[in-house]
Amino acid sequence: CIGNVRGRGLMIGIEIVDERQAADHMGSLPADSQLAAAIQNACFNNKLLLEKGGRNGTVIRLLCPLIITQAECEEVIARFKKSVADALIEVRGE
């Protein structure tokens, strides 16, 4: 469900897509705003605050502070992975 990851430094955008649907003529999968909202909500429930951005709110934004530690980065990744799994179950039953 992650279409593209982009950014510079600690400002990262994670595009949420519906990989079950066909890609367009440029090879891009359609955005999934419902899943992006569910991921943001699941992150909040897992004590991780993230923003949404992009067209129709389909890009999850990671805006880490410059003083983040390696251990904190690993914790963010673990919580984000759990949140994506929780959101997929909620929205798609997967």
Side-chain angles (χ1 to χ4, degrees):
C1 67
I2 295 176
N4 186 14
V5 178
R6 56 188 175 265
R8 293 209 181 265
L10 294 175
M11 190 167 106
I12 301 168
I14 303 168
E15 181 183 17
I16 305 301
V17 298
D18 189 347
E19 75 285 356
R20 303 169 300 171
Q21 297 191 25
D24 64 13
H25 67 283
M26 294 178 59
S28 298
L29 293 169
D32 192 340
S33 59
Q34 181 184 13
L35 182 58
I39 290 171
Q40 183 186 33
N41 189 48
C43 284
F44 181 78
N45 292 337
N46 288 314
K47 311 251 185 303
L48 182 61
L49 296 177
L50 302 176
E51 292 183 0
K52 289 187 310 175
R55 192 171 286 153
N56 300 318
T58 58
V59 177
I60 301 292
R61 293 179 177 171
L62 293 174
L63 303 166
C64 301
L66 293 175
I67 58 171
I68 194 167
T69 65
Q70 180 69 31
E72 290 168 333
C73 286
E74 292 170 5
E75 185 65 26
V76 166
I77 292 168
R79 290 182 191 202
F80 185 74
K81 285 174 66 175
K82 180 181 182 338
S83 298
V84 170
D86 293 347
L88 281 169
I89 289 169
E90 177 189 333
V91 173
R92 299 184 186 169
E94 295 177 6

